[in-house]
């Protein structure tokens, strides 16, 4: 079975994330959406809300699992018997940042990374833009699945 981990904080999950996950299902038999926990980070949505929302979005899809984790993503991959990390990249800055991490994960832990380039219609969408809109009373409904705005 080809199992991949799609890690992130998903604060909140966006349509860009959903697009990468759905396209990733054409490559992998199973994708674990791994919500990372970083005690030093201040989140806008609670961990419970993020997990429930993602589970609702993919409800009924047996190829998707939603889990939380702390620590290194590559260690989580080993624990879950996944030898691949799936990442979405929107631009060259994303790629440059992800490339170094991917090379370290491969060298140190034997976990390969697969990059999917974002679909053009989602290339500007990020969780930080959604948080900024939400914080300032803006309409972010076109950037996230409907479950996020409920």
């Amino acid at each position: 079975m080809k199992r991949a981990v799609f890690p992130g904080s998903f604060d909140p999950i966006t349509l860009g994330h959903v697009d990468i996950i759905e396209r990733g299902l054409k490559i992998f038999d199973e994708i674990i959406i791994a919500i990372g926990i970083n005690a030093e980070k201040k989140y806008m949505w609670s961990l419970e809300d993020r997990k429930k929302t993602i589970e609702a979005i993919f409800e009924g899809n047996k190829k998707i699992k939603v889990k939380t984790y702390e620590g290194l993503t590559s260690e989580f991959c080993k624990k879950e018997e996944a030898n691949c990390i799936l990442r979405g990249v929107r631009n060259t800055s994303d790629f440059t940042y992800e490339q170094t991490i991917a090379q370290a994960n491969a060298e140190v832990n034997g976990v390969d990374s697969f990059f999917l380039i974002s679909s053009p219609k989602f290339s500007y969408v990020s969780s930080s833009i959604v948080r900024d809109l939400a914080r300032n009373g803006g309409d972010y409904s076109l950037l996230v699945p409907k479950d996020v705005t409920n």
Side-chain angles (χ1 to χ4, degrees), residues 76-134:
F76 177 77
C77 289
K78 283 183 181 178
K79 179 179 159 252
E80 296 297 325
E81 298 179 355
N83 61 355
C84 302
I85 296 173
L86 175 63
R87 298 297 290 165
V89 291
R90 295 169 295 180
N91 52 46
T92 56
S93 297
D94 281 358
F95 178 77
T96 301
Y97 173 77
E98 295 291 345
Q99 178 186 14
T100 305
I101 296 168
Q103 290 169 330
N105 282 335
E107 183 68 26
V108 175
N109 291 306
V111 179
D112 283 320
S113 294
F114 287 78
F115 300 127
L116 284 179
I117 297 170
S118 69
S119 296
K121 64 183 174 183
F122 300 119
S123 64
Y124 69 95
V125 179
S126 71
S127 293
S128 56
I129 287 174
V130 172
R131 286 192 306 273
D132 193 42
L133 286 166

Side-chain angles (χ1 to χ4, degrees), residues 17-148:
H17 293 128
V18 172
D19 178 60
I20 295 295
I21 294 163
E22 289 174 346
R23 290 169 49 217
L25 287 173
K26 296 175 186 172
I27 301 165
F28 299 101
D29 300 316
E30 182 180 275
I31 295 177
I32 300 170
I33 301 171
I35 307 169
I37 302 167
N38 181 342
E40 297 177 18
K41 200 169 179 183
K42 187 175 180 202
Y43 297 105
M44 191 162 186
W45 280 267
S46 73
L47 177 62
E48 298 77 26
D49 285 345
R50 288 179 278 150
K51 188 170 189 286
K52 281 183 201 173
T53 298
I54 295 168
E55 288 170 338
I57 293 165
F58 295 102
E59 185 176 15
N61 189 330
K62 292 178 173 42
K63 294 175 78 173
I64 304 263
K65 307 277 186 268
V66 183
K67 299 187 178 193
T68 62
Y69 76 102
E70 290 185 74
L72 296 174
T73 303
S74 58
E75 291 298 323
F76 177 77
C77 289
K78 283 183 181 178
K79 179 179 159 252
E80 296 297 325
E81 298 179 355
N83 61 355
C84 302
I85 296 173
L86 175 63
R87 298 297 290 165
V89 291
R90 295 169 295 180
N91 52 46
T92 56
S93 297
D94 281 358
F95 178 77
T96 301
Y97 173 77
E98 295 291 345
Q99 178 186 14
T100 305
I101 296 168
Q103 290 169 330
N105 282 335
E107 183 68 26
V108 175
N109 291 306
V111 179
D112 283 320
S113 294
F114 287 78
F115 300 127
L116 284 179
I117 297 170
S118 69
S119 296
K121 64 183 174 183
F122 300 119
S123 64
Y124 69 95
V125 179
S126 71
S127 293
S128 56
I129 287 174
V130 172
R131 286 192 306 273
D132 193 42
L133 286 166
R135 224 180 271 115
N136 292 291
D139 180 10
Y140 56 92
S141 62
L142 295 177
L143 307 179
V144 297
K146 64 178 173 54
D147 299 278
V148 173

